[in-house]
Amino acid sequence: MILYNKNVSFDFLDYGIQIPLYYDDWISHIQEKFPLKHREFPLINREDLERVHSKDYLDILLGQNPEIIIETTHEFTKYYDKSLQTKPFSHLIQKTLLEASGTYEASLMALQKGFCFYLGGGMHHSYKEEAHGFCVIHDVVIALQKLIALQKIKTAWIIDTDVHKGDGTAYLTFKDENILTLSIHMEKGWPLDSYPLDHKCWTPSTVDIPIPQYEENSYLNKLQEGLQKLQKISTQKGFRRPDIVMIVLGADPYEKDTLLSSQLLNLSFEQMCQRHQILLSFLKNIPQAYVLGGGYGPHSHEIFTEFAISSTPYW
Ligand SMILES: [Zn+2]
C-alpha cells in the first residue's frame, strides 16, 4: 500500500532554502494514477529521537533557536536566502518530525501487511550530532531503533539506491550487528568528494557499491551482486533474511534529475524501471518499507509513479 499524509510536504522555499526537491505538483502526478487517501499517524517523541541523536543536538533542534542548525550546516547555508523566508525554521522542524513519524508508521505497515511505499522520508545523510545534506534527523534509523526497542523486530537491512551515499545511515549503524546496510551511489561527487577521508561520510556501509561516472551500464549488475553479498554477510551473522528491510529509493540517479550534485550518474528511465524490478524481486517475502529519499526537479515524480505502478502486485 501507499502511505500518504497531506501535511507531509517539502516546500523548503517557505524557509528560504532553494532546493528543487520533487517540485510542487509532484504529488498530483501520482494522484492521477492512484487516488491517495490521507492518513494520520502519531508523532514520534523525544525518547524515539534520543535512541539515535545526541542530547545536545536535540536540545538545539527542539529548543528556541533551531535556526542555529541552518547557520551551521553547509548545505543549508549554501541554498539559504533569508529574504525569501516566510515561515520560521521551527515549523520546518515540526514538519520534519511529522515526516519521520510517517517512516515509523510505514515500517509498522510493512510488518503488518508485508509492503508499504511511503510518500516521504529517507533523510539518510543526518548524523548523530548534526544535520547533514538536507537531512535534519535520520528517520529510517529512528524507526528501526524504535521497532527494536519495542521488541517488534530484532534484525533489519537498510538498502539505499539514492544517488548520494547513505553516509548518515552507515555512520549511525556502524558495527551494529543487527542492522546491515547497502548503499549504491556515485563513486565521486557529494558527499564523498567534499570531505577528507577521515570524515564521517566515509564510514563504510556493510556493502558499498560506488559507481564510477560513465559506467551506468554496470549499475544493475552491481546492484544485483551487492544484494547477494548483503545476503551472504547477513547469513554469516545468523539471519539469512531480516525481520524488515527499509529502502531509501531515491529518484536522483535518473538522467532527468536537475540537482547539480547528482549529475555523475544518469540512469535512463528504463534502467530505473529495472532497478525497481531487481529490488522487488530480490526482497520478495521480506516485510519491506520504501521511503522517497532524494529526487530533484520536475521529472522526479516519473520515477516515484513508476515505482508505485510496478510495485502494486507486491502490496
Ligand atoms: Zn540524493
Side-chain angles (χ1 to χ4, degrees):
M1 68 167 294
I2 291 186
L3 175 62
Y4 166 67
N5 179 306
K6 65 184 179 192
N7 298 316
V8 172
S9 58
F10 310 93
D11 35 10
F12 277 101
L13 198 57
D14 290 348
Y15 310 95
I17 304 163
Q18 303 172 81
I19 305 167
L21 187 64
Y22 310 144
Y23 261 47
D24 305 341
D25 61 346
W26 73 286
I27 205 84
S28 65
H29 290 283
I30 296 182
Q31 254 163 340
E32 282 172 17
K33 308 276 181 186
F34 297 92
L36 298 173
K37 200 173 155 201
H38 167 77
R39 185 178 170 119
E40 297 278 344
F41 32 72
L43 274 183
I44 52 170
N45 57 38
R46 176 153 181 149
E47 189 184 358
D48 299 326
L49 299 171
E50 282 185 358
R51 290 190 197 98
V52 175
H53 295 284
S54 70
K55 288 187 175 170
D56 287 349
Y57 177 59
L58 293 175
D59 285 345
I60 298 172
L61 188 77
L62 304 173
Q64 296 300 313
N65 298 305
E67 288 80 5
I68 295 169
I69 291 169
I70 287 263
E71 292 159 10
T72 56
T73 305
H74 173 71
E75 295 77 27
F76 279 130
T77 54
K78 187 176 164 189
Y79 289 89
Y80 181 55
D81 182 345
K82 198 173 175 57
S83 69
L84 299 174
Q85 186 171 3
T86 56
K87 293 179 184 173
F89 192 52
S90 55
H91 284 194
L92 179 58
I93 302 300
Q94 291 309 311
K95 279 190 156 190
T96 303
L97 292 174
L98 176 68
E99 188 182 350
S101 306
T103 301
Y104 177 65
E105 188 73 11
S107 70
L108 287 179
M109 288 186 165
L111 290 178
Q112 287 162 9
K113 299 178 186 298
F115 185 97
C116 184
F117 178 27
Y118 171 44
L119 299 180
M123 297 175 261
H124 61 158
H125 298 304
S126 173
Y127 295 132
K128 178 179 179 179
E129 53 291 278
E130 60 180 325
H132 188 229
F134 309 131
C135 306
V136 174
I137 53 175
H138 201 305
D139 57 315
V140 177
V141 178
I142 290 168
L144 290 178
Q145 293 297 0
K146 183 164 181 162
L147 292 178
I148 290 170
L150 297 178
Q151 299 186 328
K152 291 179 186 290
I153 63 159
K154 285 183 180 156
T155 59
W157 292 348
I158 302 173
I159 292 173
D160 191 332
T161 53
D162 186 282
V163 81
H164 304 97
K165 184 191 170 187
D167 57 330
T169 312
Y171 181 72
L172 289 168
T173 59
F174 188 59
K175 291 186 179 171
D176 191 318
E177 292 292 311
N178 297 316
I179 301 178
L180 304 184
T181 60
L182 178 151
S183 176
I184 182 165
H185 49 261
M186 298 179 294
E187 180 191 44
K188 295 190 172 14
W190 195 90
L192 301 174
D193 275 5
S194 302
Y195 300 96
L197 289 173
D198 58 354
H199 186 266
K200 295 170 204 175
C201 75
W202 285 95
T203 309
S205 315
T206 309
V207 177
D208 274 314
I209 312 168
I211 304 291
Q213 193 177 14
Y214 307 124
E215 281 198 22
E216 283 99 347
N217 289 338
S218 69
Y219 181 96
L220 297 167
N221 284 341
K222 286 188 174 176
L223 175 60
Q224 189 81 50
E225 287 167 15
L227 289 167
Q228 282 160 2
K229 190 173 171 188
L230 180 70
Q231 185 162 63
K232 194 173 168 191
I233 294 170
S234 193
T235 304
Q236 286 164 355
K237 290 189 180 290
F239 55 106
R240 186 172 174 274
R241 284 172 177 271
D243 296 328
I244 191 169
V245 55
M246 301 205 56
I247 302 95
V248 179
L249 198 56
D252 49 8
Y254 186 30
E255 61 186 354
K256 292 185 180 174
D257 195 88
T258 61
L259 191 73
L260 200 60
S261 84
S262 65
Q263 301 305 308
L264 298 181
L265 188 57
N266 294 291
L267 300 185
S268 66
F269 185 77
E270 182 58 33
Q271 286 172 310
M272 294 297 281
C273 296
Q274 288 177 28
R275 177 188 77 163
H276 298 162
Q277 287 307 319
I278 288 172
L279 290 171
L280 291 163
S281 162
F282 193 84
L283 302 174
K284 207 172 166 185
N285 302 325
I286 305 175
Q288 53 198 278
Y290 292 77
V291 294
L292 294 181
Y296 306 88
H299 295 281
S300 57
H301 70 85
E302 294 168 15
I303 301 307
F304 296 130
T305 305
E306 196 288 325
F307 181 73
I309 293 168
S310 60
S311 66
T312 309
Y314 296 85
W315 297 3

